[in-house]
Amino acid sequence: MSDFEKFKDELKNKLIKAKDSKELDVIRSEIFSKNGLINSEFKKLGSLSPEEKKKVASKINTAKQELTTLLNEKVSNLQSNEIDERVKKEKNDVTLPEKDFKIGKIHPVSQVIDEISSIFSEIGFSVEEGPDVESEYYNFTALNTPENHPAKDMHDTFYIEENMKTLLRTHTSPVQVRTMLKGKPPFKIVAPGRTYRSDSDQTHTPMFHQLEGLHIDKNITMGHLKGCLNYFIKEFFELDQIKMRFRPSHFPFTEPSAEVDIGYRIENNKIIIGEGDKWLEILGCGMVHPNVLKNSKVDPNKYQGFAFGIGIDRLAMLKYGINDLRSFFECDYRWLNYYGFDPLDVPTNYRGLSK
Ligand code: PHE
């Protein structure tokens, strides 16, 4: 028997005995690689006479065929064996119930957004949304914010483009303009969402949440604003009586403008909301500036109304006694398990907001 025949039989045996795809890879290269059996044999043909060349070449080709067929069979056998092995090991009965069932929790921020939306929907506000990545026009210009306003500073605002035309919205107020441009008055909406400012300490995070409110109609006054916010705060803190005050303030997009504080006191290291002689700021508000109405294609001689912007995270901290805002966004499962809410317990005014 020639060396070639011997080597071929050896390889055939190896193929038959191969136990896994790694072994097959090695044998495959011994047969078919550049210096493997078949190519080395073809290389030798050059020195033979034409007659012999024909004979030997046909022998090599037959061997090549044989080995290829054997290899392919082996590959498919091994593959199905490997699958059978895996299936044997994975003895999972998918019909059994979950052994280690963990109930997810609703984040306090999501809970508070649901609570606030529910409170406002009770008095006819619908929910709107706007984009986080906003244009400089909707975030500032349309809201009557002058070119040199401190909020536009690079230190406070995250700009996305160098030409300062696109940014992460610094408040939810651009949704006021977007909503008014989309429809016709009257408007009565709230718009919760993420907002961004370059700030970080115990009560500030670069991303935080606000809820914008807007009510535009004929003959809406500051009295309506006060009544609306008073109702909201009492409902939110689930109290019959709450101390609150309007403090004059300034926003370019409202005139007059105010900030709202609620009264509180500290008792045994705990914060008691609604009474006491300390004040805590929770929102900004005012009567929508005529320029904002004009920019939103609403006639300020016919329509007017109020807007407010509530800091959602701060309300969540107050209501649920969480004292570091940064912990909200650390994604610590233990924290969420402790402060989170039952996903099936959707807040409504009828069933109770948080109880
Ligand atoms: N957008 C203001 C802020 O982020 C809050 C606000 C909203 C004030 C609506 C007045 C009217 O501080």
Side-chain angles (χ1 to χ4, degrees):
M1 201 193 273
S2 70
D3 281 354
F4 173 66
E5 293 288 339
K6 253 199 246 159
F7 202 22
K8 186 191 82 182
D9 285 348
E10 229 173 80
L11 287 171
K12 265 168 109 178
N13 270 336
K14 272 196 192 172
L15 269 179
I16 292 163
K17 286 191 196 135
K19 281 190 295 295
D20 55 37
S21 37
K22 253 196 202 146
E23 273 184 46
L24 276 190
D25 287 340
V26 177
I27 308 170
R28 182 185 288 115
S29 110
E30 283 182 79
I31 305 172
F32 297 109
S33 68
K34 230 164 93 196
N35 299 318
L37 174 73
I38 302 293
N39 281 326
S40 323
E41 215 51 31
F42 272 127
K43 274 182 216 155
K44 290 182 198 157
L45 291 181
S47 58
L48 300 179
S49 68
E51 270 303 288
E52 270 178 318
K53 217 185 247 175
K54 230 177 162 183
K55 251 171 49 196
V56 178
S58 113
K59 209 173 66 188
I60 306 175
N61 274 328
T62 318
K64 190 177 170 187
Q65 280 283 314
E66 243 177 84
L67 288 166
T68 309
T69 317
L70 198 59
L71 181 74
N72 288 344
E73 268 173 29
K74 195 69 193 182
V75 169
S76 76
N77 279 349
L78 276 184
Q79 268 173 356
S80 63
N81 283 354
E82 276 166 20
I83 292 172
D84 285 349
E85 280 301 305
R86 259 211 343 251
V87 171
K88 253 189 234 158
K89 272 192 219 144
E90 287 172 8
K91 274 201 205 125
N92 278 347
D93 182 348
V94 290
T95 62
L96 284 175
E98 172 72 76
K99 269 194 263 171
D100 188 17
F101 189 61
K102 285 197 183 73
I103 295 182
K105 291 282 180 113
I106 298 293
H107 195 285
V109 170
S110 308
Q111 166 78 13
V112 164
I113 291 177
D114 287 349
E115 289 180 20
I116 301 179
S117 307
S118 165
I119 294 169
F120 281 107
S121 71
E122 279 298 301
I123 52 169
F125 285 80
S126 57
V127 178
E128 283 288 333
E129 273 183 347
D132 290 19
V133 177
E134 189 49 283
S135 70
E136 186 266 349
Y137 178 77
Y138 285 117
N139 196 81
F140 292 124
T141 316
L143 288 165
N144 198 38
T145 307
E147 227 19 77
N148 56 358
H149 195 275
K152 298 187 80 171
D153 196 315
M154 293 284 250
H155 294 295
D156 297 317
T157 302
F158 292 115
Y159 287 94
I160 288 180
E161 281 174 351
E162 278 189 15
N163 62 11
M164 293 169 71
K165 288 288 172 228
T166 317
L167 43 80
L168 292 176
R169 64 177 176 188
T170 58
H171 50 181
T172 42
S173 300
V175 188
Q176 288 184 33
V177 182
R178 284 181 176 275
T179 304
M180 290 192 275
L181 285 175
K182 255 187 354 200
K184 288 204 162 17
F187 301 102
K188 202 173 179 189
I189 60 110
V190 286
R194 281 184 286 266
T195 47
Y196 305 83
R197 282 177 212 174
S198 183
D199 227 344
S200 184
D201 60 37
Q202 199 176 347
T203 51
H204 296 89
T205 47
M207 187 279 296
F208 57 105
H209 297 83
Q210 283 194 339
L211 179 123
E212 195 75 10
L214 176 74
H215 187 187
I216 303 288
D217 205 337
K218 290 174 177 157
N219 309 318
I220 297 288
T221 69
M222 198 93 180
H224 294 110
L225 169 63
K226 219 169 166 176
C228 173
L229 291 176
N230 197 273
Y231 153 82
F232 161 67
I233 289 166
K234 283 199 302 209
E235 287 287 315
F236 180 73
F237 287 105
E238 298 169 65
L239 292 169
D240 297 330
Q241 213 53 50
I242 213 151
K243 232 169 111 176
M244 96 185 220
R245 73 173 180 195
F246 275 61
R247 193 166 29 79
S249 185
H250 172 78
F251 299 103
F253 34 92
T254 45
E255 182 59 40
S257 304
E259 277 170 320
V260 173
D261 301 333
I262 53 173
Y264 75 98
R265 66 189 162 82
I266 304 278
E267 203 179 271
N268 298 330
N269 263 336
K270 275 189 98 178
I271 179 161
I272 313 284
I273 303 285
E275 46 188 280
D277 52 11
K278 292 188 185 324
W279 295 101
L280 199 94
E281 180 204 320
I282 56 159
L283 63 90
C285 61
M287 299 304 289
V288 177
H289 196 289
N291 287 347
V292 177
L293 294 174
K294 274 185 222 155
N295 292 337
S296 309
K297 308 271 181 284
V298 173
D299 182 354
N301 295 317
K302 283 195 191 139
Y303 291 96
Q304 65 200 60
F306 61 77
F308 53 83
I310 303 176
I312 293 178
D313 314 86
R314 188 169 262 202
L315 285 189
M317 288 169 78
L318 282 177
K319 185 165 176 180
Y320 295 113
I322 305 167
N323 53 26
D324 192 334
L325 178 60
R326 289 167 296 196
S327 63
F328 275 59
F329 310 118
E330 278 167 356
C331 302
D332 184 334
Y333 185 73
R334 293 161 302 179
W335 182 90
L336 188 60
N337 224 7
Y338 183 80
Y339 285 108
F341 293 83
D342 186 336
L344 300 176
D345 217 359
V346 181
T348 64
N349 294 59
Y350 301 118
R351 282 202 304 133
L353 289 172
S354 61
K355 290 168 200 151

